[in-house]
Amino acid sequence: MKSNIKQYEVPVEQLRWHCDPNSLDIKSTNDIHPSRDIIGQERALRALRLGLEIHNAGYNVFVTGYSGTGRMTTIKRLLAEFEGKQVPLKDQCYVHNIKYPDAPVLVTLPAGQGVQLRSDMDRLLQELIKIIPTALESQRYQDKRRGVLEHFQDRQRSVLRDFEKKVKEKGFEVIQVQVASGVQPEIAPVVGNQPVSFDQLDTLIQQGKITREDVEQKIQDRMLLEKAMEVMLREMRNIDRKAKDSIEELTKKHFQPIAKLHVEEIRTKYQNEKLHKHLESVIEHVVNNLHKFRPQDGENQPAGTDGAEQSEQDSFIEFRVNVVLDNSETKGIPIVIETNPKYKNLFGTIEREVDRNGVWRTDFTMIKSGSMLKADGGYIVVNALDALVEPGVWQTLKRTLRNGLLEIQSMESGLFGMNSALKPEPVEIGVKVIMIGDAYIYFLLYEQDDDFKKIFKVRADFDIEMPKQDDSINRYVSFIKMICDEDKLCSFDASGVAAVIEYGTRLAGRQNKLSTRFNVIADVLREASYWASKENGAMANASHVWRAIDERIERVNLIEEKIQDMIIDGSIMIDSDGWAVGQVNGLSVYDLGEYAFGKPTRITAKTSLGRDGIINIEREAEMSGPTHDKGMLILNGYMHSTYAMNKPLVMTASIAFEQSYSGVDGDSASSTEIYALLSSLSNLPLRQDIAVTGSVNQKGEIQPIGGVNQKIEGFFDVCKARGLTGKQGVLIPHQNIPELMLRRDVIEAVNAGKFRIYSVKTIDEGIEILTGKKAGTKNKKHLFTKGSVHFLVDKTLTKYARRWKELSA
């Protein structure tokens, strides 16, 4: 009962899609107009435009997709459309808060007025530095000041004369006594027209110059006079205070109009209420601190604004203006691409410096803006992973977008962990963030961070493939022309262009798709141009493109060659001809990230009487992944549904991936494991010149797998190295036929009848190819066609069941 396996062969024309150079209607890229259109990302483009053009809160854009699909290029080109759009921009300035120095005041002005205000305030300071000292020395001011001082000095002299008169009437005199703290007045009695101290009175009593009764009287009078002197001194201090207040009032009346006159020009120039309040406080501060404008001997003049360096402690900090956002030269909407999204680069910082005494200091002039503020009113592009790994960036970004307020603070700790005490007024900000990441980061944030879905309401997902249609092929050709022009590559003839398009289909993994990984396509173009120039060719053709692809593979396929050598010399045991019971060649893909390749793996099965069922040796050794374990459980379900409908399944079977030392995952070998198991149970040998891939469901239907091209090519390379016999081939799921884009040497071997590709839909079809016998069908009594594969398997399992029953009796 032999099977006709010819019907399962895949025709050679289905093994690869070929791009006919004549169908392109060009001779070379010289006949093409370059295009900078975004290719194959219509869905992502619509989402991006929506996110960029809706200015409601939360409509920031998160861009997902694989690297190389043109995410950054697309974003730049879309943003370029907004560059010429005029929008009302602002300048943001910080000024000194005279009342609360730790809380700098934010002044928002139209674009371009920030630097003007800074210049005007510097000029105002210079004018006051020149005018105030002159006004202080003016005759008019000095005369008025002198008149006020003389008035109060006269009052003090009058009070002092009245007191001295009272003292003399009591026989005392006011003298000045030297003490440690200076000189102080003291009341001394007068004896013989001479003031004496009370310590000398006892001597004078003995000398008879004064009586004791007189001394006692003088002591009492002195007490009264000392109280009167306290009142007098208090009055003198009050007069001093009133004199000072009068001088200050005089100074305000004299200098306030001068300051207001010079400030008025700035006040009328800038219509900003907060700035007007600041100017009023500056006027008041100037009038109350005129001493700062008087040049002192041995001190430098106040720092100017003509490039001179300011002192460590700026005496005139109230005149300084820190323009943290200057849009005076900004044309159109601000667009910032932040390539290094550290905290201070994004949100700004408050710098500090060490003064000459070794003490950390800062002030509002050291507030520095970041790219978020520079993008205010426009767009900023940030890499998601870079932002997430930087300390503090993600939380601050969320807070800024959620509240619409940017708070500039220092992220870094200073000496002994001390941070700046400054708390600048927050800036109202309207910036749209475009964050670039992959799908894993997007879904992680979406599930774990409640704020994320509120502030990133638009997702633009870039695909790695697009439908292969006439329009997309034409756009592909235009892209090739653009790269040639931009990178000054040599021209490509029609065969070279067709080869690039075929490679794009290979990258996409399906014959009806084209890859949108344009970074890889562009690299192939550059390298093909290089090889064409090496051969002094005027144009790059298909051979140069294939060489570029081959050279790219050779640079990274060292491990593949090592495994190939081990298979050829027998270190890794793989049979590519003959027959064997319970043994089949499975196919595995080794993915190195930058390169993936396929190689055959020997899979064996051993069966016996028992109740352990199917033993997965890889799982028992903890070397299998969950997907592979699931495939083994499905295999178990298939065996029960096929053979255990009329008897118990009494069997112990062990299945192993021979010489596998690094772990196994995936279910693409589940059909292969069934073939090995059926071979062991039926004692029918399997062909070793055919390698197998394909997953299976519990109904015995073959399911598609990934990496079909690499798997076929991996076994082909082994067979080619040992010599092609014309019988060797690979068994694949029929659903994988549209994905076939095999190498040209494989196609040539199949076309010459030296290698074969079979496709199957069920386990039955596969086992017929591997054994050369009919699989067999089951009748209503659950009996199989006599002499078929299933008949022999069922016969063995029935024998196991009877024997187990005998042993259990």
Side-chain angles (χ1 to χ4, degrees):
M1 186 184 298
K2 292 187 176 181
S3 173
N4 179 21
I5 65 173
K6 194 74 176 175
Q7 59 181 318
Y8 300 116
E9 282 195 45
V10 180
V12 66
E13 58 270 13
Q14 296 183 20
L15 301 181
R16 181 185 179 91
W17 173 76
H18 174 66
C19 180
D20 184 4
N22 296 324
S23 67
L24 301 176
D25 293 328
I26 60 170
K27 292 183 179 179
S28 71
T29 52
N30 296 329
D31 303 331
I32 307 168
H33 292 289
S35 172
R36 298 182 62 85
D37 293 340
I38 307 302
I39 305 174
Q41 303 294 351
E42 285 72 18
R43 179 189 290 105
L45 278 171
R46 287 195 300 271
L48 268 172
R49 290 191 183 278
L50 175 75
L52 295 179
E53 295 177 3
I54 290 185
H55 296 286
N56 298 86
Y59 278 86
N60 299 290
V61 184
F62 197 101
V63 180
T64 58
Y66 284 94
S67 176
T69 53
R71 296 175 301 176
M72 182 59 79
T73 302
T74 302
I75 292 169
K76 287 181 178 178
R77 291 183 185 175
L78 282 182
L79 290 177
E81 298 177 7
F82 294 88
E83 286 181 348
K85 185 178 180 181
Q86 297 300 316
V87 293
L89 298 177
K90 305 172 186 176
D91 284 351
Q92 302 290 356
C93 312
Y94 279 108
V95 296
H96 183 58
N97 190 333
I98 297 174
K99 189 175 182 180
Y100 302 106
D102 289 342
V105 176
L106 178 71
V107 175
T108 302
L109 297 170
Q113 291 191 8
V115 289
Q116 292 178 17
L117 175 62
R118 181 173 60 194
S119 177
D120 290 341
M121 291 296 289
D122 290 339
R123 185 169 58 254
L124 171 63
L125 174 60
Q126 292 304 306
E127 291 173 353
L128 294 178
I129 288 172
K130 294 176 182 178
I131 294 170
I132 290 178
T134 304
L136 285 170
E137 300 299 329
S138 68
Q139 189 65 39
R140 181 186 174 199
Y141 173 73
Q142 290 297 330
D143 288 345
K144 288 185 177 181
R145 188 175 186 276
R146 191 179 302 111
V148 172
L149 290 175
E150 288 177 354
H151 169 72
F152 285 99
Q153 286 171 0
D154 288 343
R155 288 184 59 185
Q156 286 181 326
R157 284 193 290 268
S158 176
V159 172
L160 187 57
R161 280 196 304 269
D162 291 344
F163 178 72
E164 288 177 344
K165 181 180 179 181
K166 186 182 293 188
V167 170
K168 287 182 179 181
E169 288 174 353
K170 294 291 185 180
F172 288 85
E173 186 175 329
V174 179
I175 63 174
Q176 300 295 326
V177 180
Q178 186 74 34
V179 294
S181 59
V183 178
Q184 70 179 22
E186 186 173 309
I187 300 174
V190 177
V191 179
N193 298 324
Q194 291 292 329
V196 296
S197 67
F198 274 86
D199 294 337
Q200 295 174 321
L201 293 179
D202 288 338
T203 303
L204 294 174
I205 292 172
Q206 294 174 2
Q207 293 176 356
K209 293 181 178 181
I210 190 171
T211 66
R212 187 169 295 280
E213 291 76 8
D214 291 337
V215 171
E216 291 176 355
Q217 183 62 44
K218 287 187 178 294
I219 291 174
Q220 292 178 2
D221 292 341
R222 182 195 181 197
M223 291 175 63
L224 295 173
L225 290 172
E226 284 181 342
K227 290 182 179 179
M229 186 173 69
E230 290 179 1
V231 174
M232 181 273 296
L233 291 174
R234 191 159 51 248
E235 180 67 18
M236 295 287 280
R237 286 194 294 271
N238 286 337
I239 293 172
D240 281 337
R241 193 176 300 113
K242 290 179 181 179
K244 183 179 179 181
D245 291 343
S246 296
I247 291 295
E248 289 180 354
E249 185 67 23
L250 172 66
T251 302
K252 285 183 179 180
K253 288 182 179 179
H254 187 78
F255 285 97
Q256 201 166 38
I258 296 175
K260 278 188 174 181
L261 179 64
H262 288 80
V263 168
E264 187 62 24
E265 181 182 352
I266 299 177
R267 182 185 178 87
T268 56
K269 184 176 180 179
Y270 302 95
Q271 300 302 314
N272 186 286
E273 184 178 348
K274 292 174 71 174
L275 177 60
H276 292 172
K277 290 182 179 179
H278 173 68
L279 292 174
E280 290 173 3
S281 64
V282 169
I283 292 172
E284 182 180 354
H285 186 75
V286 168
V287 175
N288 293 333
N289 294 272
L290 292 173
H291 63 278
K292 295 198 301 183
F293 292 86
R294 188 191 301 273
Q296 304 271 336
D297 293 337
E299 292 186 5
N300 294 329
Q301 295 288 337
T305 58
D306 54 353
E309 184 178 357
Q310 297 182 15
S311 61
E312 288 186 344
Q313 293 292 342
D314 194 341
S315 300
F316 298 95
I317 194 169
E318 63 273 9
F319 290 90
R320 306 301 177 194
V321 177
N322 182 4
V323 185
V324 292
L325 176 61
D326 177 17
N327 277 318
S328 58
E329 298 183 1
T330 305
K331 308 297 183 183
I333 292 181
I335 297 172
V336 178
I337 298 177
E338 182 54 75
T339 57
N340 186 16
K342 292 184 177 180
Y343 184 92
K344 67 177 183 180
N345 292 348
L346 270 178
F347 307 108
T349 188
I350 303 175
E351 296 180 344
R352 290 174 296 161
E353 65 182 12
V354 181
D355 63 17
R356 64 186 65 183
N357 297 319
V359 178
W360 286 100
R361 62 166 298 274
T362 187
D363 57 51
F364 82 95
T365 62
M366 299 184 190
I367 300 173
K368 305 296 181 184
S369 65
S371 51
M372 282 289 287
L373 185 56
K374 294 175 182 176
D376 185 23
Y379 306 91
I380 184 171
V381 183
V382 182
N383 182 277
L385 183 59
D386 290 345
L388 288 170
V389 300
E390 289 292 340
V393 167
W394 176 244
Q395 293 299 328
T396 307
L397 180 64
K398 285 198 306 177
R399 185 167 56 248
T400 301
L401 295 178
R402 187 175 60 240
N403 302 326
L405 293 175
L406 174 65
E407 297 186 25
I408 302 178
Q409 280 295 328
S410 174
M411 178 65 185
E412 300 83 0
S413 296
L415 192 62
F416 307 119
M418 296 175 62
N419 287 323
S420 171
L422 287 184
K423 185 173 176 55
E425 188 177 348
V427 184
E428 287 189 11
I429 192 170
V431 61
K432 190 169 295 284
V433 176
I434 304 162
M435 187 166 279
I436 302 176
D438 57 29
Y440 175 79
I441 294 177
Y442 176 84
F443 287 114
L444 180 67
L445 292 172
Y446 195 90
E447 293 296 329
Q448 302 297 324
D449 195 328
D450 289 337
D451 292 329
F452 176 75
K453 56 180 69 71
K454 299 176 184 177
I455 59 178
F456 284 95
K457 295 184 178 181
V458 179
R459 179 190 179 194
D461 194 14
F462 278 69
D463 200 353
I464 60 172
E465 62 185 26
M466 63 180 179
K468 190 188 66 184
Q469 301 167 347
D470 291 342
D471 178 64
S472 57
I473 290 177
N474 292 335
R475 299 175 75 181
Y476 230 70
V477 174
S478 297
F479 169 79
I480 295 172
K481 172 62 174 177
M482 182 193 72
I483 296 297
C484 291
D485 290 350
E486 287 187 353
D487 292 2
K488 296 180 171 51
L489 308 180
C490 67
S491 299
F492 282 68
D493 66 13
S495 68
V497 173
V500 173
I501 296 173
E502 286 186 24
Y503 183 64
T505 303
R506 162 85 178 203
L507 282 179
R510 292 188 70 85
Q511 294 182 6
N512 61 347
K513 299 289 185 180
L514 281 171
S515 174
T516 56
R517 295 170 59 190
F518 292 108
N519 63 329
V520 178
I521 300 298
D523 288 343
V524 169
L525 291 171
R526 296 180 186 109
E527 293 171 26
S529 175
Y530 168 79
W531 293 116
S533 64
K534 280 287 187 180
E535 296 179 5
N536 296 321
M539 287 189 181
N541 54 37
S543 64
H544 300 125
V545 174
W546 300 132
R547 180 172 182 182
I549 295 170
D550 293 341
E551 292 284 346
R552 287 171 62 84
I553 294 173
E554 187 176 4
R555 292 198 295 268
V556 295
N557 72 340
L558 179 61
I559 295 178
E560 179 185 18
E561 290 186 357
K562 295 293 184 183
I563 294 176
Q564 175 79 352
D565 291 343
M566 295 173 70
I567 292 175
I568 299 306
D569 65 21
S571 298
I572 297 178
M573 294 185 289
I574 298 293
D575 291 335
S576 56
D577 57 10
W579 300 73
V581 175
Q583 175 178 304
V584 65
N585 289 323
L587 292 169
S588 301
V589 172
Y590 297 77
D591 193 346
L592 306 181
E594 60 181 347
Y595 177 61
F597 62 92
K599 286 298 176 189
T601 300
R602 175 179 288 180
I603 298 175
T604 60
K606 291 294 183 181
T607 55
S608 65
L609 178 66
R611 296 288 292 180
D612 294 331
I614 300 174
I615 300 173
N616 179 7
I617 292 179
E618 261 64 38
R619 183 175 66 179
E620 298 300 320
E622 298 183 351
M623 294 177 63
S624 68
T627 309
H628 181 258
D629 294 341
K630 178 184 177 182
M632 293 297 295
L633 295 174
I634 290 174
L635 188 155
N636 194 55
Y638 168 79
M639 293 297 293
H640 277 83
S641 64
T642 306
Y643 303 108
M645 303 301 292
N646 56 359
K647 60 184 174 298
L649 197 61
V650 183
M651 172 190 70
T652 294
S654 61
I655 298 177
F657 280 67
E658 304 292 353
Q659 293 182 287
S660 172
Y661 308 108
S662 58
V664 176
D665 199 9
D667 64 346
S668 64
S670 54
S671 65
T672 312
E673 292 162 339
I674 290 180
Y675 297 141
L677 185 59
L678 296 181
S679 171
S680 177
L681 288 170
S682 65
N683 201 35
L684 290 173
L686 300 176
R687 292 180 59 175
Q688 301 300 296
D689 53 7
I690 295 180
V692 181
T693 185
S695 67
V696 69
N697 60 27
Q698 294 186 107
K699 297 167 63 177
E701 296 171 333
I702 302 298
Q703 301 173 146
I705 44 81
V708 64
N709 292 298
Q710 289 85 355
K711 290 177 177 180
I712 293 173
E713 292 163 357
F715 189 64
F716 172 81
D717 289 339
V718 172
C719 296
K720 183 179 180 181
R722 290 177 173 174
L724 295 173
T725 63
K727 297 182 179 180
Q728 298 143 329
V730 175
L731 189 65
I732 66 171
H734 76 99
Q735 300 97 324
N736 285 117
I737 293 177
E739 300 175 10
L740 294 176
M741 277 297 292
L742 295 172
R743 289 193 324 237
R744 289 161 296 128
D745 57 339
V746 179
I747 301 299
E748 292 170 0
V750 173
N751 200 34
K754 296 181 179 179
F755 197 75
R756 304 179 187 278
I757 310 296
Y758 302 98
S759 68
V760 294
K761 298 179 180 179
T762 63
I763 288 292
D764 290 354
E765 293 177 354
I767 198 67
E768 289 181 2
I769 295 172
L770 293 173
T771 62
K773 293 184 176 294
K774 285 285 186 179
T777 56
K778 185 191 297 186
N779 59 26
K780 294 182 179 179
K781 295 182 179 180
H782 302 291
L783 299 176
F784 292 96
T785 306
K786 190 172 183 180
S788 67
V789 176
H790 290 311
F791 174 83
L792 296 176
V793 172
D794 190 62
K795 182 178 179 182
T796 301
L797 292 174
T798 301
K799 182 175 68 175
Y800 284 170
R802 290 173 180 171
R803 182 57 180 162
W804 184 263
K805 184 176 181 179
E806 293 172 359
L807 294 173
S808 301

